Amino acid sequence: TTSTTTTTSTTSTSTSEEAINVLGSFSYKLRGNAGFIVNEDTPVPAVGNEFSFLLAVNQTEPSGYLFAKASPSTGLHYALLSSGGSIVFLYRTSGSSTTRTARVDVDLADSNPHTLIIAISGTTLTVTVDSPFQPSSFSTALAGPPDDCAPLSSDCQLYIGQRETNTGYFTGTLLL
């Protein structure tokens, strides 16, 4: 039995701010052997040049995908991985099939709760971590804004606690 706590907020800030609680009022405790796909009826907007994700994370194993957005026909569009003391944003830009990475050195796998804000503004990725001790922000450059396959459909899926290849399972609690 898998008990999971996950709450996801996606904010689009191009002309007006829009917040979507992707998973309702639930958080999920993921045990490292399965994730799930968000229902196609969930109104998840496409990401643009400026957007952010707000997550509450308590990671108990050293590596796992927090979320991934992908198309079964065209592959990964973007994903967030916590692994080896780093947060890695995997993405591809519009018109490209090359997966690129942006990394910041933040260790979430310390069994402590963290509030995580992932913000994209043009070609800058900013990760803000509010640990129990002191909030920290880290920024790095992107090759371009991430591409998206939105809205959710059978050919555009949002994966929680895993990547689109049914691997990279997250262990811990997620609230998106």
Side-chain angles (χ1 to χ4, degrees):
T1 303
T2 299
S3 169
T4 306
T5 304
T6 303
T7 301
T8 302
S9 295
T10 303
T11 304
S12 172
T13 57
S14 52
T15 55
S16 64
E17 205 165 295
E18 181 180 356
I20 306 291
N21 186 336
V22 173
L23 303 174
S25 299
F26 301 101
S27 60
Y28 293 89
K29 185 165 188 167
L30 299 167
R31 306 213 184 273
N33 59 359
F36 61 93
I37 300 172
V38 174
N39 187 302
E40 293 175 16
D41 296 332
T42 305
V44 177
V47 299
N49 290 338
E50 295 192 19
F51 64 95
S52 60
F53 293 95
L54 171 65
L55 303 93
V57 179
N58 189 343
Q59 185 173 354
T60 57
E61 292 293 326
S63 183
Y65 280 81
L66 285 79
F67 61 82
K69 186 119 180 242
S71 165
S73 64
T74 60
L76 179 71
H77 285 267
Y78 59 85
L80 190 65
L81 168 66
S82 174
S83 180
S86 296
I87 295 172
V88 182
F89 184 69
L90 297 92
Y91 67 103
R92 67 179 201 204
T93 58
S94 182
S96 175
S97 60
T98 302
T99 300
R100 302 173 185 275
T101 61
R103 174 185 315 266
V104 295
D105 292 329
V106 175
D107 190 3
L108 297 179
D110 59 3
S111 297
N112 289 313
H114 298 280
T115 301
L116 189 64
I117 300 171
I118 307 298
I120 305 283
S121 180
T123 58
T124 302
L125 166 70
T126 302
V127 176
T128 303
V129 180
D130 180 16
S131 73
F133 311 106
Q134 179 178 350
S136 302
S137 285
F138 308 87
S139 292
T140 190
L142 301 175
D147 191 22
D148 199 348
C149 61
L152 295 184
S153 68
S154 61
D155 196 44
C156 181
Q157 299 177 329
L158 179 60
Y159 300 82
I160 304 297
Q162 70 179 57
R163 65 174 297 156
E164 77 286 1
T165 57
N166 293 322
T167 60
Y169 296 121
F170 178 85
T171 302
T173 303
L174 284 175
L175 178 63
L176 301 167

